[in-house]
Amino acid sequence: MAPTGRMHDSATTREFSIPVSQDALRRLQGAACIVCGEVARQLYPAGHAVSVSPCGQVLRWNVRACAPHTEAG
Ligand SMILES: [Zn+2]
């Protein structure tokens, strides 16, 4: 049997566990595309993401995406 990949089709909310990498931090801060991590000149609002610390504290971030990864809606 083939392993079943769980496709999580999250519309806009992405979850990161703390500690996050420098790359992930840039994405959370809206300095890089939340999808591909590219630091594009033009980044557009792309919903939000949350980060969860080991003690369960949830932080909410407004994130951005580059044009090809920007979803309408
Ligand atoms: Zn992108």
Side-chain angles (χ1 to χ4, degrees), residues 14 16 24 27-28 32-37 43 46 49 63-66:
R14 293 175 175 81
F16 292 81
R27 302 186 195 202
L28 289 172
C33 173
I34 190 66
V35 180
C36 66
L43 292 168
V63 296
R64 294 167 177 271
C66 65

Side-chain angles (χ1 to χ4, degrees), residues 13-24:
T13 307
R14 293 175 175 81
E15 197 173 305
F16 292 81
S17 296
I18 289 177
V20 297
S21 64
Q22 278 294 327
D23 177 68

Side-chain angles (χ1 to χ4, degrees), residues 26-71:
R26 266 198 302 274
R27 302 186 195 202
L28 289 172
Q29 290 173 333
C33 173
I34 190 66
V35 180
C36 66
E38 174 150 320
V39 182
R41 287 182 64 179
Q42 293 285 329
L43 292 168
Y44 305 92
H48 60 267
V50 295
S51 61
V52 184
S53 75
C55 58
Q57 188 176 16
V58 176
L59 273 178
R60 199 176 154 110
W61 309 72
N62 292 315
V63 296
R64 294 167 177 271
C66 65
H69 290 128
T70 303
E71 294 168 338

